[in-house]
Amino acid sequence: LVVPTALPVVHVAQQGVWAETLVGGAAYVLLMLICAYLYGVCFTYAYPDLRLQPVRPSRDDFTFGLLDGCRCDPDWRICCCSWFCAPIRWADTAGSPKVRFLHFWQALILFTVLEVLAGLTAVAILLLLAMAVVSRQRIRQVYGMQSGDCETCSKDCLAWLCCTPCAIMQEALQIEFIDVYDDYSQGSPSGPGSPVPMKGGFPPASPVAASMPAAAYPA
């Protein structure tokens, strides 16, 4: 019994299976691109109203919990896409006009390529985690939450490490159903930096942003 001690990328190189690894990775990236196209064509219709709305949006942390997406409220799209097509759902959030972290297709390709490389080297795992945390910090910044410190970065790292689909669901719910409160808010009658008008104590999502995921936006 030989116990491998080298890094995965070295082991792969030693076994001479680079071709198989790259072909498999390319096939996975291609599959995600096809699924993303179908996602943009078939699943970008407007979300219905939440059946169970938060009492009030939180300015201290994410309005929704990590497991709230599992209720499939208002429908199954955020939950299922987060669990079974995580790169696509994350890219949709990262490419949202509210966040403007990356364009949808850029985010999707980066995520899937790093996923493939994560099976070869720990560096890709760290890069993928760093990208996800920076995106999550961006969401915190846009919504006026505490951000940019060790506490929130640690929380975001733990969220992604402990349950990646849960973190993706939480971010997606925030983006899809809560309007921003700073200069990134659009259409606010009070001007930049003013809260979006609330209806019944809950700010309605922007009709355009809520009904058109980032996949539908041009470059």
Side-chain angles (χ1 to χ4, degrees), residues 2 4-5 40 45-46 49 62 92 96 101-102 104 110 114 124 127 130 140-141 152 163 181-182 187 192 214 216 218:
V2 179
T5 57
Y45 51 89
D49 293 335
F62 286 87
D92 196 357
S96 167
F101 179 62
L102 289 170
F104 174 83
L110 276 174
L114 288 174
L127 288 175
R140 289 179 178 275
Q141 179 186 13
T152 58
C163 186
Y181 278 75
D182 61 1

Side-chain angles (χ1 to χ4, degrees), residues 136-155:
R136 195 171 170 92
Q137 287 285 308
R138 174 71 165 179
I139 295 173
R140 289 179 178 275
Q141 179 186 13
V142 166
Y143 282 90
M145 306 178 208
Q146 181 182 352
S147 63
D149 54 19
C150 292
E151 179 183 354
T152 58
C153 288
S154 299
K155 287 181 178 179

Side-chain angles (χ1 to χ4, degrees), residues 53-208:
Q53 294 187 349
V55 176
R56 60 180 294 276
S58 173
R59 295 296 303 275
D60 301 322
D61 208 337
F62 286 87
T63 301
F64 301 90
L66 284 170
L67 298 177
D68 284 352
C70 294
R71 296 193 302 243
C72 292
D73 181 11
D75 61 25
W76 55 269
R77 282 176 289 168
I78 288 178
C79 179
C80 290
C81 289
S82 297
W83 282 97
F84 302 112
C85 298
I88 297 174
R89 181 56 259 185
W90 180 83
D92 196 357
T93 299
S96 167
K98 296 180 182 180
V99 180
R100 302 180 187 178
F101 179 62
L102 289 170
H103 185 270
F104 174 83
W105 295 106
Q106 294 172 338
L108 177 64
I109 292 173
L110 276 174
F111 196 104
T112 52
V113 169
L114 288 174
E115 268 192 317
V116 172
L117 295 178
L120 302 177
T121 173
V123 174
I125 298 176
L126 294 177
L127 288 175
L128 181 57
L129 178 61
M131 182 175 69
V133 169
V134 171
S135 174
R136 195 171 170 92
Q137 287 285 308
R138 174 71 165 179
I139 295 173
R140 289 179 178 275
Q141 179 186 13
V142 166
Y143 282 90
M145 306 178 208
Q146 181 182 352
S147 63
D149 54 19
C150 292
E151 179 183 354
T152 58
C153 288
S154 299
K155 287 181 178 179
D156 293 343
C157 282
L158 287 174
W160 269 83
L161 288 173
C162 294
C163 186
T164 296
C166 297
I168 294 175
M169 284 190 294
Q170 184 183 43
E171 295 167 14
L173 287 170
Q174 186 80 21
I175 291 299
E176 297 293 351
F177 297 105
I178 305 296
D179 272 326
V180 297
Y181 278 75
D182 61 1
D183 292 347
Y184 293 92
S185 60
Q186 300 181 16
S188 173
S190 301
S194 301
V196 176
M198 299 174 66
K199 181 179 180 180
F202 186 74
S206 166
V208 175

